[in-house]
Amino acid sequence: MKKLICFSTFIFAFGLQTISAQVPGYQGKRFFIGYNASSFFYCPNFTFENGLLGIFELTRISYKTEVNVNYALSRKVAAGFSYYTAKQNDAFTNDQIQNYGYMQPTAGIAQCKLAIYEIHFQFFRKNFIAPAGLYNQLSVGIVKYGLATPDNKLTVYSTNLGGSGNPPLILTGPAEKYTCYKLGYAIGKTNPIGHNFYINTALGVNFFRGGDAAYVKTTPSTQNYILANFNKNLRTHNFVEIKIGLGWIAF
Amino acid sequence: MRLLINFFFCFALTTSVVAQTIPDFNNYQPIKCVGLIPEDFRTLSQDKFKNDVKTEAKAAKNHNVSSSKEEFLLETNYIIDQLLLSGKVLFGDTVTEYVNKVADRVLVNQPELRGKLRFYCLRSSEANAFSTNQGIVFVTLGLIAQLENEAQLAYVLSHEIAHYERHHTMNEYIRNEQIFSKNDQYKYSNSDDQIRAASSYSKELELEADSIGLIRLSKTGYDCDAALSSMFVLQFSELPFEDFEFNASILENPVMVLPKDLFLDTVQKINLDNDKEDDTYSTHPNVAARRKKLEIILDDLTGCGNQDFTMSAKTFFFIRKICRFETVRILVNERDYVAAFYNTYVLQKEDSTSNYLRLCMGKSLYGIAKYKNHDQYSDVSDFYGKKEGNQQQCYYLFQKASAVQMNMIALRYLYNLSKTDSSFFVTSMRNDLADEAVRLNDVHFEDMKKTYALYLEIKNAPVVDTTKAKVIDTVKVAVQTDDADSKVYVSKYDKLRKEKKKQDLTQAVETKKSDASKFYLLAFGDVMDNASVKAMFDLAEERTTTKNAADKLVQDKRDKMSSYELRKEEQYGANEMRKKGMSLGIDTVVYVDPFYVMADDHKGIKFIQSETEQLEFCNQITENAGYAKLSIDVLNPKTFGANDVEKYNDLSILNDWIGERVAHEDEMEMVPMETDRMIPLMKKYNTSHFCYTGIYTVKQKREDRGFIIFFSIICYPILPFGIAYALSPEYNTYYYTLMYDANTGKPDVSREVHIKSKSKKGFINSIMYDMMVQIKREKKTTTVTR
């Protein structure tokens, strides 16, 4: 609690200082807080054989929410911290089912809960001044993900042994969340509304590398079944994202 | 009794006009607007438009206003308002009051019509008058400066009133729309036919206005012949006020005489038969046609008066003199320096001691010399061959004189001027030319001194050859021949020695002659001993040395760098500017007439939105200045109240100054000619920094639509986005900031920010605030090192 109070006092004092000084920013304000919802469609089972109809049938929409805190470092650069959270329904692909002993969740999907902790830099494009206008954003973050079930267990059955009539197999999720790294790029636009608010829109691409994902390419087994499926779907869901959000240009 | 009433009427008019501030023509001050700002200037264009539409609807049979009429009313209201708020229109001043009195007289029998009309003067050197559909009649000062009597002015007004009465401007607009839109009613095979048709209709209207104007004039007591004589004025209005022989002695001094090769033997005579020019594509008939029409009407006209003046002739000539004094200043401001010079010369015949005219002449010479020095003289002067009459001599002289010659002639004139007018402005012009004489033309005080010594030597020589040009005339050094040497035997060596000696002497004489022909080096010959001349050149040398040293330092640094390093250095500078911006350390700025133009590819300017947004834009300026802690004044004519006449006058001066300054290229580092009028403003607003800012935002079709759709078809998953993107319009917004230091005439900021987006308030706030921070931010004391 003490830390929080100290941090808040620091931010408040810093904010006051920036208001009274001749500084860049939006009418002298450099500190801004935002909320974004991000989404994109994806086709987990898309193959060319399925054709266009297959695309529409199999297309899913992904959702993520993000809260970010940013500070305009200079006329052209802003830095910030984002926290993302999402609960994604991962459909298991035929390919995955076959590779992992024909196992698939009893519910047809597995829920994955993820959280991303990210730092990012926004470089405002020609003629725009931070924090308003077009920007290129580079980000790096840590992704924590795992089962969304309360007991951290996934019930699967093997289709190879006769379908859903077989006794289910209960897989336990990892004691600690899976981890991987996210490298992101986005192009966005911050459009101030009045003196204190803004609307943000952005289109981004994300690459998930390293961490537990390194195990994916090892031999498929029931042990890495959850990881392999979640990681694969994580990449698919979040490779492209469109963000729309609101923000508060605080001080 | 009628005579008595007329007498009192005339007396009252005369005294009321002259009773206003009588200018001292020796120390003439440009006229200013006086009194309350009229309603025409204060009503928003969109309100005027709405009222006009209502009025038109009432007048129409079915209470409907056609789209063409609406378009016309919208456009004209905005365009006329731009003119009204430009600062170029005069109201309440002596000249405008006079024009209004003449208008009263012209419309003495039509009080209702008089109530609908407003008459203003326009600060323009062109001889012109025009009326608008809204009932505003503009008369240029250039026109009044050319007229011969009050009756001619009355006829001009009467003609313009006829245009208003018959709704000529609107009718012409609608007819042109029909012609150029290839309406069924007017089918023309090609654009040439269209232009001919439009021109023909316009000429019909002009002749109609001429006729109505003359008939009205005949009922006012004015001499109807004024209509014909005003056509004569119109025919020759492009000539100077008078046609006097030019005597160059005003540019000479006892020592420096301009050589004959700078003068024409004879000037081209004025063509008296230029009234029948081809008017096929013109909006106005030629003068001969108009005169003929007037003559026909005059033959049948009865009851014409015979008055050339209803007020006194003295009043008219007094008003015309003001207009002439104003016109030379306007000509200088319009960079028509030679015309300004000759017209000033003409005016000096009557007012030889006028400081105002001397200053105008000094300004003209300064302008000519500067443009000569920077090899841009053709931008500000016509070819002398196109000119007629005695003015041609001036055009020839200034065209033939070299840059260095013109520089020294102008410098000498300004030196003389600075002896009687020690103002900052005159001193700045003089010093600037002194600097350029040294830096660009390689003229040095020592050379002038030597030339002057040579001049004295030649002058004091016993024999003078009178057949040569004035300066060269005095060049004569007797070649000493050695006739005493009359030996019987002369060796070949003696002969050769004698020949050599003779040759050397001849060469020496030729050299002296050649040096002495550099007449411009004698520009200060008669005041060579004056300490102020030496001081002026010493200072110029000092400034030149400093500037050259600084330039050399930069050049040396650049020479040592490879092309890669140079490019990198430039990139570094550009990046630094992009990242950090400027630091000007300016506390107070005056924002002059901020503009906002919203346009569409198809529909052109969106007038109503532009005006509304302009008002909002001015609020944004004030708001952001508050955040940036920048002290500002915003001169927005659209928000002026009735009592803000002083602000309107300030705006007029500022617009003139900035308009002229923008016309000069930055490299010339020219002192703008209106600087003398800016000095009181700098004191009043407590700053020398004046900023022009505005926004131009345009909606366009995307140029690369085809490519986007093609690309989307190839990458078919993005096809819906591609089509949506390609079909959506493209918005471009340009934010301009142009700020000058009125002390130096140099730009503090000259920036165009291009945003590929709609002109959203948030973006504008962001950029505007950032610009203001850069203006306000203290200058860095340490230089950035890499």
Side-chain angles (χ1 to χ4, degrees), chain B residues 619-650:
Chain B
N619 292 337
Q620 276 178 273
I621 292 175
T622 314
E623 184 184 299
N624 281 293
Y627 286 118
K629 296 194 169 12
L630 182 70
S631 167
I632 63 159
D633 281 293
V634 182
L635 286 178
N636 177 17
K638 284 197 185 288
T639 57
F640 285 170
N643 293 313
D644 287 334
V645 68
E646 274 307 310
K647 281 188 181 177
Y648 184 85
N649 287 327
D650 295 347

mmCIF file of all heavy atoms in Angstrom, chain B residues 619-650:
data_model
loop_
_atom_site.group_PDB
_atom_site.id
_atom_site.type_symbol
_atom_site.label_atom_id
_atom_site.label_comp_id
_atom_site.label_asym_id
_atom_site.label_seq_id
_atom_site.Cartn_x
_atom_site.Cartn_y
_atom_site.Cartn_z
ATOM 1 N N ASN B 619 -10.560 30.574 -31.850
ATOM 2 C CA ASN B 619 -10.699 30.214 -30.432
ATOM 3 C C ASN B 619 -9.606 29.241 -30.021
ATOM 4 O O ASN B 619 -9.058 29.322 -28.914
ATOM 5 C CB ASN B 619 -12.068 29.573 -30.170
ATOM 6 C CG ASN B 619 -13.185 30.574 -30.336
ATOM 7 O OD1 ASN B 619 -12.973 31.777 -30.227
ATOM 8 N ND2 ASN B 619 -14.382 30.083 -30.620
ATOM 9 N N GLN B 620 -9.304 28.314 -30.904
ATOM 10 C CA GLN B 620 -8.248 27.336 -30.611
ATOM 11 C C GLN B 620 -6.899 28.035 -30.414
ATOM 12 O O GLN B 620 -6.119 27.644 -29.553
ATOM 13 C CB GLN B 620 -8.117 26.335 -31.757
ATOM 14 C CG GLN B 620 -9.102 25.192 -31.676
ATOM 15 C CD GLN B 620 -8.951 24.272 -32.877
ATOM 16 O OE1 GLN B 620 -9.548 24.505 -33.905
ATOM 17 N NE2 GLN B 620 -8.160 23.234 -32.740
ATOM 18 N N ILE B 621 -6.652 29.045 -31.217
ATOM 19 C CA ILE B 621 -5.380 29.777 -31.097
ATOM 20 C C ILE B 621 -5.269 30.385 -29.700
ATOM 21 O O ILE B 621 -4.266 30.239 -29.013
ATOM 22 C CB ILE B 621 -5.277 30.873 -32.189
ATOM 23 C CG1 ILE B 621 -5.145 30.229 -33.571
ATOM 24 C CG2 ILE B 621 -4.091 31.791 -31.927
ATOM 25 C CD1 ILE B 621 -5.168 31.212 -34.723
ATOM 26 N N THR B 622 -6.351 31.035 -29.286
ATOM 27 C CA THR B 622 -6.340 31.678 -27.969
ATOM 28 C C THR B 622 -6.174 30.627 -26.871
ATOM 29 O O THR B 622 -5.396 30.819 -25.926
ATOM 30 C CB THR B 622 -7.668 32.448 -27.753
ATOM 31 O OG1 THR B 622 -7.928 33.192 -28.936
ATOM 32 C CG2 THR B 622 -7.612 33.363 -26.569
ATOM 33 N N GLU B 623 -6.896 29.545 -27.025
ATOM 34 C CA GLU B 623 -6.872 28.484 -26.007
ATOM 35 C C GLU B 623 -5.468 27.871 -25.883
ATOM 36 O O GLU B 623 -4.924 27.745 -24.781
ATOM 37 C CB GLU B 623 -7.876 27.428 -26.438
ATOM 38 C CG GLU B 623 -8.080 26.301 -25.483
ATOM 39 C CD GLU B 623 -9.028 25.296 -26.118
ATOM 40 O OE1 GLU B 623 -10.177 25.666 -26.411
ATOM 41 O OE2 GLU B 623 -8.599 24.147 -26.331
ATOM 42 N N ASN B 624 -4.879 27.532 -27.012
ATOM 43 C CA ASN B 624 -3.565 26.884 -26.975
ATOM 44 C C ASN B 624 -2.471 27.840 -26.520
ATOM 45 O O ASN B 624 -1.504 27.424 -25.899
ATOM 46 C CB ASN B 624 -3.226 26.296 -28.343
ATOM 47 C CG ASN B 624 -3.945 24.989 -28.565
ATOM 48 O OD1 ASN B 624 -3.676 24.004 -27.895
ATOM 49 N ND2 ASN B 624 -4.899 24.989 -29.465
ATOM 50 N N ALA B 625 -2.643 29.120 -26.849
ATOM 51 C CA ALA B 625 -1.661 30.103 -26.379
ATOM 52 C C ALA B 625 -1.674 30.146 -24.857
ATOM 53 O O ALA B 625 -0.630 30.301 -24.216
ATOM 54 C CB ALA B 625 -1.977 31.465 -26.960
ATOM 55 N N GLY B 626 -2.874 29.988 -24.295
ATOM 56 C CA GLY B 626 -2.992 29.946 -22.838
ATOM 57 C C GLY B 626 -2.230 28.764 -22.265
ATOM 58 O O GLY B 626 -1.471 28.899 -21.295
ATOM 59 N N TYR B 627 -2.379 27.608 -22.879
ATOM 60 C CA TYR B 627 -1.664 26.413 -22.400
ATOM 61 C C TYR B 627 -0.160 26.579 -22.568
ATOM 62 O O TYR B 627 0.619 26.128 -21.739
ATOM 63 C CB TYR B 627 -2.130 25.176 -23.169
ATOM 64 C CG TYR B 627 -3.504 24.700 -22.780
ATOM 65 C CD1 TYR B 627 -4.543 24.673 -23.707
ATOM 66 C CD2 TYR B 627 -3.772 24.263 -21.477
ATOM 67 C CE1 TYR B 627 -5.809 24.229 -23.356
ATOM 68 C CE2 TYR B 627 -5.039 23.817 -21.120
ATOM 69 C CZ TYR B 627 -6.054 23.806 -22.065
ATOM 70 O OH TYR B 627 -7.302 23.371 -21.700
ATOM 71 N N ALA B 628 0.236 27.206 -23.668
ATOM 72 C CA ALA B 628 1.672 27.349 -23.928
ATOM 73 C C ALA B 628 2.270 28.572 -23.245
ATOM 74 O O ALA B 628 3.459 28.831 -23.368
ATOM 75 C CB ALA B 628 1.903 27.442 -25.438
ATOM 76 N N LYS B 629 1.406 29.318 -22.565
ATOM 77 C CA LYS B 629 1.817 30.539 -21.859
ATOM 78 C C LYS B 629 2.466 31.548 -22.799
ATOM 79 O O LYS B 629 3.442 32.221 -22.476
ATOM 80 C CB LYS B 629 2.762 30.202 -20.698
ATOM 81 C CG LYS B 629 2.097 29.369 -19.620
ATOM 82 C CD LYS B 629 2.895 29.328 -18.371
ATOM 83 C CE LYS B 629 2.182 28.733 -17.184
ATOM 84 N NZ LYS B 629 0.946 28.032 -17.386
ATOM 85 N N LEU B 630 1.925 31.606 -23.990
ATOM 86 C CA LEU B 630 2.408 32.555 -24.992
ATOM 87 C C LEU B 630 1.436 33.727 -25.035
ATOM 88 O O LEU B 630 0.229 33.525 -25.161
ATOM 89 C CB LEU B 630 2.466 31.865 -26.363
ATOM 90 C CG LEU B 630 2.980 32.677 -27.542
ATOM 91 C CD1 LEU B 630 4.472 32.937 -27.392
ATOM 92 C CD2 LEU B 630 2.744 31.928 -28.857
ATOM 93 N N SER B 631 1.967 34.909 -24.892
ATOM 94 C CA SER B 631 1.098 36.084 -24.909
ATOM 95 C C SER B 631 0.774 36.437 -26.368
ATOM 96 O O SER B 631 1.681 36.654 -27.168
ATOM 97 C CB SER B 631 1.839 37.238 -24.234
ATOM 98 O OG SER B 631 1.188 38.427 -24.488
ATOM 99 N N ILE B 632 -0.519 36.450 -26.680
ATOM 100 C CA ILE B 632 -0.879 36.711 -28.085
ATOM 101 C C ILE B 632 -2.007 37.738 -28.220
ATOM 102 O O ILE B 632 -2.764 37.966 -27.277
ATOM 103 C CB ILE B 632 -1.318 35.416 -28.824
ATOM 104 C CG1 ILE B 632 -2.591 34.819 -28.201
ATOM 105 C CG2 ILE B 632 -0.222 34.414 -28.904
ATOM 106 C CD1 ILE B 632 -3.323 33.903 -29.155
ATOM 107 N N ASP B 633 -2.062 38.321 -29.387
ATOM 108 C CA ASP B 633 -3.223 39.106 -29.810
ATOM 109 C C ASP B 633 -3.676 38.482 -31.115
ATOM 110 O O ASP B 633 -2.845 38.187 -31.969
ATOM 111 C CB ASP B 633 -2.831 40.561 -30.069
ATOM 112 C CG ASP B 633 -2.703 41.328 -28.777
ATOM 113 O OD1 ASP B 633 -3.728 41.524 -28.114
ATOM 114 O OD2 ASP B 633 -1.564 41.711 -28.439
ATOM 115 N N VAL B 634 -4.972 38.282 -31.245
ATOM 116 C CA VAL B 634 -5.485 37.730 -32.504
ATOM 117 C C VAL B 634 -6.299 38.819 -33.205
ATOM 118 O O VAL B 634 -7.250 39.342 -32.634
ATOM 119 C CB VAL B 634 -6.372 36.491 -32.262
ATOM 120 C CG1 VAL B 634 -6.853 35.906 -33.580
ATOM 121 C CG2 VAL B 634 -5.613 35.439 -31.481
ATOM 122 N N LEU B 635 -5.860 39.157 -34.400
ATOM 123 C CA LEU B 635 -6.622 40.133 -35.187
ATOM 124 C C LEU B 635 -7.478 39.374 -36.190
ATOM 125 O O LEU B 635 -7.036 39.053 -37.288
ATOM 126 C CB LEU B 635 -5.671 41.084 -35.915
ATOM 127 C CG LEU B 635 -4.978 42.143 -35.076
ATOM 128 C CD1 LEU B 635 -4.042 42.970 -35.917
ATOM 129 C CD2 LEU B 635 -5.984 43.059 -34.394
ATOM 130 N N ASN B 636 -8.683 39.057 -35.760
ATOM 131 C CA ASN B 636 -9.598 38.333 -36.641
ATOM 132 C C ASN B 636 -10.715 39.288 -37.055
ATOM 133 O O ASN B 636 -11.579 39.632 -36.250
ATOM 134 C CB ASN B 636 -10.177 37.123 -35.904
ATOM 135 C CG ASN B 636 -11.179 36.378 -36.752
ATOM 136 O OD1 ASN B 636 -11.226 36.557 -37.971
ATOM 137 N ND2 ASN B 636 -11.995 35.563 -36.118
ATOM 138 N N PRO B 637 -10.698 39.734 -38.312
ATOM 139 C CA PRO B 637 -11.676 40.764 -38.708
ATOM 140 C C PRO B 637 -13.126 40.308 -38.579
ATOM 141 O O PRO B 637 -14.022 41.132 -38.488
ATOM 142 C CB PRO B 637 -11.312 41.043 -40.166
ATOM 143 C CG PRO B 637 -10.519 39.879 -40.619
ATOM 144 C CD PRO B 637 -9.845 39.321 -39.422
ATOM 145 N N LYS B 638 -13.341 39.000 -38.567
ATOM 146 C CA LYS B 638 -14.718 38.513 -38.467
ATOM 147 C C LYS B 638 -15.301 38.740 -37.078
ATOM 148 O O LYS B 638 -16.507 38.617 -36.878
ATOM 149 C CB LYS B 638 -14.775 37.025 -38.820
ATOM 150 C CG LYS B 638 -14.662 36.789 -40.316
ATOM 151 C CD LYS B 638 -15.121 35.428 -40.717
ATOM 152 C CE LYS B 638 -14.893 35.181 -42.177
ATOM 153 N NZ LYS B 638 -15.813 35.939 -43.036
ATOM 154 N N THR B 639 -14.453 39.026 -36.128
ATOM 155 C CA THR B 639 -14.968 39.256 -34.776
ATOM 156 C C THR B 639 -14.874 40.722 -34.369
ATOM 157 O O THR B 639 -15.123 41.060 -33.218
ATOM 158 C CB THR B 639 -14.184 38.398 -33.756
ATOM 159 O OG1 THR B 639 -12.797 38.730 -33.865
ATOM 160 C CG2 THR B 639 -14.377 36.924 -33.989
ATOM 161 N N PHE B 640 -14.505 41.583 -35.305
ATOM 162 C CA PHE B 640 -14.398 43.007 -34.958
ATOM 163 C C PHE B 640 -15.781 43.574 -34.653
ATOM 164 O O PHE B 640 -16.751 43.295 -35.360
ATOM 165 C CB PHE B 640 -13.801 43.808 -36.125
ATOM 166 C CG PHE B 640 -12.313 43.617 -36.302
ATOM 167 C CD1 PHE B 640 -11.666 44.108 -37.432
ATOM 168 C CD2 PHE B 640 -11.545 42.971 -35.348
ATOM 169 C CE1 PHE B 640 -10.301 43.934 -37.615
ATOM 170 C CE2 PHE B 640 -10.191 42.785 -35.520
ATOM 171 C CZ PHE B 640 -9.567 43.268 -36.655
ATOM 172 N N GLY B 641 -15.825 44.400 -33.611
ATOM 173 C CA GLY B 641 -17.069 45.102 -33.293
ATOM 174 C C GLY B 641 -17.090 46.442 -34.012
ATOM 175 O O GLY B 641 -16.126 46.828 -34.685
ATOM 176 N N ALA B 642 -18.188 47.183 -33.837
ATOM 177 C CA ALA B 642 -18.336 48.467 -34.541
ATOM 178 C C ALA B 642 -17.236 49.459 -34.161
ATOM 179 O O ALA B 642 -16.824 50.288 -34.967
ATOM 180 C CB ALA B 642 -19.699 49.051 -34.227
ATOM 181 N N ASN B 643 -16.740 49.358 -32.937
ATOM 182 C CA ASN B 643 -15.750 50.346 -32.469
ATOM 183 C C ASN B 643 -14.303 49.918 -32.711
ATOM 184 O O ASN B 643 -13.382 50.597 -32.287
ATOM 185 C CB ASN B 643 -15.953 50.602 -30.964
ATOM 186 C CG ASN B 643 -17.268 51.292 -30.716
ATOM 187 O OD1 ASN B 643 -17.601 52.266 -31.406
ATOM 188 N ND2 ASN B 643 -18.042 50.773 -29.779
ATOM 189 N N ASP B 644 -14.120 48.800 -33.375
ATOM 190 C CA ASP B 644 -12.757 48.282 -33.554
ATOM 191 C C ASP B 644 -12.065 48.828 -34.805
ATOM 192 O O ASP B 644 -11.297 48.123 -35.458
ATOM 193 C CB ASP B 644 -12.791 46.744 -33.627
ATOM 194 C CG ASP B 644 -13.054 46.128 -32.268
ATOM 195 O OD1 ASP B 644 -12.732 46.785 -31.268
ATOM 196 O OD2 ASP B 644 -13.571 45.005 -32.222
ATOM 197 N N VAL B 645 -12.354 50.082 -35.112
ATOM 198 C CA VAL B 645 -11.779 50.642 -36.342
ATOM 199 C C VAL B 645 -10.248 50.682 -36.289
ATOM 200 O O VAL B 645 -9.571 50.490 -37.308
ATOM 201 C CB VAL B 645 -12.398 52.032 -36.640
ATOM 202 C CG1 VAL B 645 -11.970 53.056 -35.609
ATOM 203 C CG2 VAL B 645 -12.044 52.494 -38.031
ATOM 204 N N GLU B 646 -9.712 50.893 -35.092
ATOM 205 C CA GLU B 646 -8.247 50.922 -34.967
ATOM 206 C C GLU B 646 -7.651 49.563 -35.322
ATOM 207 O O GLU B 646 -6.618 49.468 -35.991
ATOM 208 C CB GLU B 646 -7.846 51.318 -33.536
ATOM 209 C CG GLU B 646 -7.788 52.812 -33.316
ATOM 210 C CD GLU B 646 -6.915 53.545 -34.330
ATOM 211 O OE1 GLU B 646 -5.782 53.111 -34.534
ATOM 212 O OE2 GLU B 646 -7.383 54.530 -34.931
ATOM 213 N N LYS B 647 -8.334 48.536 -34.850
ATOM 214 C CA LYS B 647 -7.866 47.178 -35.162
ATOM 215 C C LYS B 647 -7.931 46.930 -36.665
ATOM 216 O O LYS B 647 -7.067 46.283 -37.251
ATOM 217 C CB LYS B 647 -8.722 46.131 -34.435
ATOM 218 C CG LYS B 647 -8.362 45.965 -32.978
ATOM 219 C CD LYS B 647 -9.131 44.781 -32.405
ATOM 220 C CE LYS B 647 -8.807 44.590 -30.945
ATOM 221 N NZ LYS B 647 -9.599 43.507 -30.358
ATOM 222 N N TYR B 648 -8.998 47.440 -37.274
ATOM 223 C CA TYR B 648 -9.136 47.255 -38.719
ATOM 224 C C TYR B 648 -7.991 47.953 -39.449
ATOM 225 O O TYR B 648 -7.415 47.400 -40.401
ATOM 226 C CB TYR B 648 -10.485 47.818 -39.185
ATOM 227 C CG TYR B 648 -10.737 47.578 -40.659
ATOM 228 C CD1 TYR B 648 -11.288 46.385 -41.108
ATOM 229 C CD2 TYR B 648 -10.365 48.528 -41.609
ATOM 230 C CE1 TYR B 648 -11.488 46.149 -42.459
ATOM 231 C CE2 TYR B 648 -10.554 48.298 -42.960
ATOM 232 C CZ TYR B 648 -11.116 47.111 -43.385
ATOM 233 O OH TYR B 648 -11.291 46.884 -44.718
ATOM 234 N N ASN B 649 -7.647 49.154 -38.990
ATOM 235 C CA ASN B 649 -6.523 49.872 -39.610
ATOM 236 C C ASN B 649 -5.213 49.126 -39.412
ATOM 237 O O ASN B 649 -4.377 49.058 -40.319
ATOM 238 C CB ASN B 649 -6.424 51.287 -39.029
ATOM 239 C CG ASN B 649 -7.531 52.182 -39.544
ATOM 240 O OD1 ASN B 649 -7.970 52.034 -40.679
ATOM 241 N ND2 ASN B 649 -8.001 53.100 -38.719
ATOM 242 N N ASP B 650 -5.054 48.578 -38.220
ATOM 243 C CA ASP B 650 -3.832 47.794 -37.944
ATOM 244 C C ASP B 650 -3.762 46.594 -38.883
ATOM 245 O O ASP B 650 -2.701 46.274 -39.433
ATOM 246 C CB ASP B 650 -3.817 47.299 -36.495
ATOM 247 C CG ASP B 650 -3.729 48.448 -35.507
ATOM 248 O OD1 ASP B 650 -3.435 49.568 -35.952
ATOM 249 O OD2 ASP B 650 -3.978 48.228 -34.307
#
